[in-house]
Amino acid sequence: MLEPSHNNELPVIPGKRYFTIGEVAELCAVKAHVLRYWEQEFPQLSPVKRRGNRRYYQRADVITIRQIRSLLYDQGYTIGGAKQKLSSSEAKDDTSQYKQLIRQMITELEEVLDVLNAPVR
């Protein structure tokens, strides 16, 4: 599993439609059992469940999980406090999610630029 680096940088979210619980665990630097627990605690998390009760998360779920992770691990909120923060109107206006999206887009665009600037063989 990928651990966050010293500056809390998480890996770039790939441009896929669905992610397995293992992929989300790596993208968000939390263990799978933590994700299952958070699903019980946070109504905002509701991955699609398919045959065999396998979970499939969408990009919005991954972003929400990263926001929950930030509230709990980086900002020191309790589960109850994080629930309130996410369900309040502040969560909709919270700029940290937008900043995270912008950082993600910049990283993805830089990767595209690297591919475009690579020498043709």
Side-chain angles (χ1 to χ4, degrees), residues 16-25 31-42 45-58 61-62 65:
K16 293 172 48 176
R17 185 172 175 110
Y18 294 104
F19 302 90
T20 65
I21 194 167
E23 291 170 330
V24 175
K31 298 195 185 251
H33 71 271
V34 173
L35 293 173
R36 289 189 290 272
Y37 174 71
W38 286 354
E39 284 175 29
Q40 296 171 2
E41 295 296 323
F42 295 93
L45 286 181
S46 56
V48 177
K49 289 191 181 175
R50 299 229 173 112
R51 70 184 120 85
N53 242 4
R54 288 183 50 99
R55 293 164 168 80
Y56 291 94
Y57 296 85
Q58 295 182 19
D61 294 323
V62 176
I65 291 166

Side-chain angles (χ1 to χ4, degrees), residues 33-100:
H33 71 271
V34 173
L35 293 173
R36 289 189 290 272
Y37 174 71
W38 286 354
E39 284 175 29
Q40 296 171 2
E41 295 296 323
F42 295 93
Q44 296 88 346
L45 286 181
S46 56
V48 177
K49 289 191 181 175
R50 299 229 173 112
R51 70 184 120 85
N53 242 4
R54 288 183 50 99
R55 293 164 168 80
Y56 291 94
Y57 296 85
Q58 295 182 19
R59 178 180 280 273
D61 294 323
V62 176
I63 292 169
T64 300
I65 291 166
R66 285 183 170 192
Q67 188 176 16
I68 291 169
R69 181 188 181 283
S70 174
L71 289 170
L72 296 175
Y73 297 169
D74 301 334
Q75 299 175 41
Y77 280 81
T78 62
I79 294 279
K83 276 189 210 181
Q84 283 182 337
K85 178 88 169 149
L86 285 175
S87 64
S88 72
S89 61
E90 291 177 20
K92 291 165 184 59
D93 297 330
D94 192 43
T95 58
S96 67
Q97 186 173 6
Y98 296 115
K99 287 179 183 176
Q100 184 177 4

